[in-house]
Amino acid sequence: TWVERVVRKYNHVIIYGQSLGAGSEGQPTISLAAKYGNLMLGDKTTSVNNAMPGANNATPPTFQVTGASVFNPLIADGAGVSNETVLHGALNTFRRMWLAYWGVESDTTRLMVGTGAAIGGQDIASLQSGAAINLYNRLPSLMTQALAVATTAGGSYGVPAFLWLQGESDQTRTEAYYLPLMRAIYAAFCADTIAITGQVNPPAMFTYQTVAPNTNFDTANLGVQMAQLTSATVDPGVFMIGPSYPYPDSNNLHLAANGYRW
């Protein structure tokens, strides 16, 4: 009861982190058809500019909607970077169970919206609020835009969940280094969410446990993985879904479409 529940007309679930959060190499796409009334902002779940800063992402670090700024059915169309992401599997599963719980075929009074603001190749320091290139600004920018769309559509807006998928770029870091930075991002997001949406409770944070490519090269006693586990064990509102290593991957630290879905 200490986190925001699905009580608004538009309930926004947002991803932040690095490439797994953006669905990198999430092919071949599976979620081609919209299900259960789930929505996304614009024509895909990710921002227009999703590459690493200094590569081909010369635009300001704000969330940029693909197509018109409206809520569309949640799909992964497989075109270019519009890959399968964890949002598709997460929201479709949640929504199916939600409708079954209430014993209804549909519910237009409470809808789910999924969007990703992750950027590939970023370490956790680069994703902090106030970093030199303030990539974090994608989060309040995204919520402000989505709130405007919801208001225009005549519905209330809230953010019940924050998905954190990051850690691959910090494999040599210790738990003492990573844990306070992970907590800082969640705290900043909670504060911004409450300020923008007006909701009383903070969003829950759901995370995976980052894969360790090869423990023979680990010099930090799985610091990232232990920090994620510690946060999920100790911090109210933080929940670990599980490790990412059991799922089908692309042999490049990313996942294939079924891996993201599962």
Side-chain angles (χ1 to χ4, degrees):
T1 57
W2 60 86
V3 294
E4 180 73 359
R5 298 298 177 130
V6 179
V7 295
R8 311 299 176 98
K9 171 68 179 286
Y10 298 103
N11 301 276
H12 203 174
V13 176
I14 297 174
I15 292 181
Y16 192 47
Q18 55 180 119
S19 54
L20 270 73
S24 294
E25 299 188 86
Q27 297 286 339
T29 48
I30 299 166
S31 302
L32 301 175
K35 292 184 177 182
Y36 312 117
N38 284 328
L39 303 169
M40 61 185 177
L41 180 61
D43 293 339
K44 65 179 183 178
T45 57
T46 55
S47 179
V48 170
N49 293 94
N50 237 22
M52 289 182 278
N56 57 354
N57 186 7
T59 55
T62 55
F63 187 88
Q64 299 168 64
V65 179
T66 300
S69 188
V70 296
F71 293 142
N72 290 317
L74 175 67
I75 61 170
D77 63 14
V81 293
S82 186
N83 294 338
E84 193 86 15
T85 72
V86 298
L87 280 169
H88 298 91
L91 292 192
N92 286 340
T93 300
F94 175 83
R95 187 68 173 176
R96 176 175 57 81
M97 297 174 71
W98 169 269
L99 295 175
Y101 176 82
W102 290 106
V104 295
E105 292 184 350
S106 64
D107 179 7
T108 59
T109 65
R110 287 176 287 186
L111 299 168
M112 306 301 296
V113 182
T115 314
I119 311 98
Q122 301 306 301
D123 61 23
I124 193 169
S126 300
L127 296 170
Q128 295 292 316
S129 176
I133 301 176
N134 196 10
L135 300 173
Y136 173 87
N137 191 46
R138 287 186 173 211
L139 296 172
S141 166
L142 168 58
M143 288 188 284
T144 300
Q145 294 176 67
L147 173 60
V149 173
T151 302
T152 300
S156 57
Y157 172 82
V159 180
F162 174 57
L163 310 187
W164 172 248
L165 285 84
Q166 195 277 338
E168 293 81 14
S169 291
D170 289 286
Q171 288 291 349
T172 61
R173 298 295 190 177
T174 64
E175 179 179 356
Y177 173 88
Y178 190 91
L179 182 57
L181 293 179
M182 179 178 169
R183 286 171 167 163
I185 286 177
Y186 180 43
F189 183 74
C190 288
D192 287 333
T193 299
I194 291 171
I196 292 170
T197 68
Q199 65 191 53
V200 175
N201 297 312
M205 183 167 85
F206 297 93
T207 181
Y208 62 7
Q209 193 173 37
T210 304
V211 68
N214 189 330
T215 54
N216 290 329
F217 295 100
D218 176 52
T219 58
N221 298 315
L222 300 177
V224 169
Q225 292 81 3
M226 291 306 300
Q228 292 165 334
L229 180 59
T230 296
S231 180
T233 304
V234 173
D235 298 337
V238 179
F239 303 92
M240 180 178 287
I241 299 302
S244 58
Y245 62 78
Y247 304 113
D249 63 34
S250 68
N251 200 32
N252 190 28
L253 280 182
H254 301 134
L255 303 182
N258 254 333
Y260 286 119
R261 183 173 66 161
W262 294 343

